[in-house]
């Protein structure tokens, strides 16, 4: 496999055009001189061969770039989760809840701004990917990470770290019984979504919203009930 970097789409396009013109310098003139107009349906958009080629090259390059972008998967073994310090009350301590379940990287190496910020909000770094045990996890795409990094740059430190922690919250659980995993996934996904919306609201500098607080509280109560049942901490 070649180690040469992939050529950008615009450079591919220019190279292909030069190749075609080099093979027949008059190709463009002949094509234009002998082109016959053809009626198009009303509203139709006609594309020249060069335009079609450009679209194809850009689409191919974009797809290749997307496949090359690394995703980041974070884990939290369920055996390391406990809500013993989370008091039974009408007020939810979201910071304590999120700290109890936030997922961790498999390596302490931090090469991206997101990973560097993650160090401040996760309790540990795992030495290896958990295998054969119930594990909370979440996978963030390159686009997810880029969006969070953009939010962190524009936010205060406190708001930025809340956004990073919300992004690292689990969305499902692996290695559990199917019925339990299904219940947990619904509760985890609902709470992560509510926490992210709440965190983005702060990043954008919007005033606190009562409906966002209520949604996050309701999702947290449901999540606590579900996970406490799985952990036997009822």
């Amino acid at each position: 496999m070649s180690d040469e970097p992939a050529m950008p789409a615009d450079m591919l396009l220019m190279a292909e055009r030069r190749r075609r013109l080099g093979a027949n310098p008059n190709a463009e003139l002949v094509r234009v001189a002998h082109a016959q107009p053809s009626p198009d349906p009303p509203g139709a958009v006609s594309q020249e061969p060069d335009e079609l080629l450009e679209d194809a090259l850009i689409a191919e390059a974009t797809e290749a770039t997307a496949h090359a972008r690394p995703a980041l998967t974070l884990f939290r073994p369920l055996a390391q989760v406990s809500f013993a310090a989370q008091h039974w009350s009408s007020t939810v301590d979201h910071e304590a809840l999120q700290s109890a379940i936030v997922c961790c990287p498999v390596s302490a190496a931090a090469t991206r701004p997101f990973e560097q910020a993650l160090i401040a909000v996760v309790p540990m770094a795992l030495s290896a990917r958990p295998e054969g045990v119930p594990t909370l996890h979440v996978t963030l795409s390159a686009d997810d990470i880029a969006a969070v990094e953009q939010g962190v740059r524009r936010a205060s430190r406190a708001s930025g770290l809340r956004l990073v922690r919300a992004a690292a919250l689990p969305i499902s659980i692996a290695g559990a019984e199917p019925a339990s995993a299904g219940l947990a996934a619904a509760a985890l996904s609902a709470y992560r979504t509510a926490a992210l919306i709440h965190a983005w609201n702060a990043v954008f500098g919007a005033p606190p919203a009562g409906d966002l607080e209520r949604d996050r509280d309701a999702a947290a109560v449901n999540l606590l009930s579900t996970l406490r049942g799985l952990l036997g901490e009822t």
Side-chain angles (χ1 to χ4, degrees):
M1 181 178 294
S2 173
D3 292 330
E4 295 183 1
M7 185 180 295
D10 55 349
M11 296 299 294
L12 287 170
L13 175 61
M14 292 174 63
E16 176 62 15
R17 282 178 172 166
R18 278 197 293 267
R19 184 190 67 76
R20 291 168 56 194
L21 291 175
N24 184 358
N26 297 320
E28 289 297 306
L29 296 176
V30 171
R31 180 178 63 82
V32 172
H34 292 279
Q36 296 297 324
S38 58
D40 291 327
V45 178
S46 177
Q47 283 189 295
E48 294 293 332
D50 283 348
E51 293 174 338
L52 293 173
L53 173 62
E54 181 175 355
D55 289 345
L57 289 173
I58 291 175
E60 181 179 351
T62 300
E63 183 179 357
T65 302
H67 289 165
R69 291 173 180 169
L72 179 65
T73 301
L74 309 172
F75 304 92
R76 186 70 176 272
L78 203 59
Q80 299 177 1
V81 176
S82 175
F83 300 110
Q86 189 83 17
H87 301 295
W88 291 91
S89 66
S90 58
T91 302
V92 178
D93 185 342
H94 290 279
E95 184 172 351
L97 169 58
Q98 293 178 18
S99 296
I101 63 173
V102 65
C103 293
C104 312
V106 176
S107 170
T111 59
R112 292 179 284 189
F114 176 83
E115 294 170 314
Q116 293 167 0
L118 194 60
I119 294 173
V121 298
V122 300
M124 70 199 83
L126 303 174
S127 58
R129 177 174 177 150
E131 298 288 350
V133 294
T135 305
L136 302 171
H137 62 92
V138 63
T139 297
L140 290 88
S141 70
D143 289 340
D144 294 331
I145 294 172
V148 172
E149 288 176 347
Q150 180 68 20
V152 169
R153 283 193 291 269
R154 64 174 293 167
S156 66
R157 175 172 172 78
S159 295
L161 291 180
R162 280 197 296 271
L163 177 61
V164 169
R165 185 170 59 205
L169 291 175
I171 200 168
S172 59
I173 179 172
E177 293 294 328
S180 299
L183 289 173
L188 288 166
S189 180
Y191 181 68
R192 183 176 184 270
T193 298
L196 275 171
I197 292 173
H198 190 276
W200 275 113
N201 188 67
V203 166
F204 289 136
D211 57 337
L212 298 185
E213 297 283 354
R214 288 190 296 271
D215 290 346
R216 188 176 62 150
D217 286 346
V221 169
N222 182 48
L223 177 60
L224 279 167
S225 176
T226 301
L227 291 185
R228 274 177 165 150
L230 291 177
L231 295 169
E233 295 184 355
T234 54

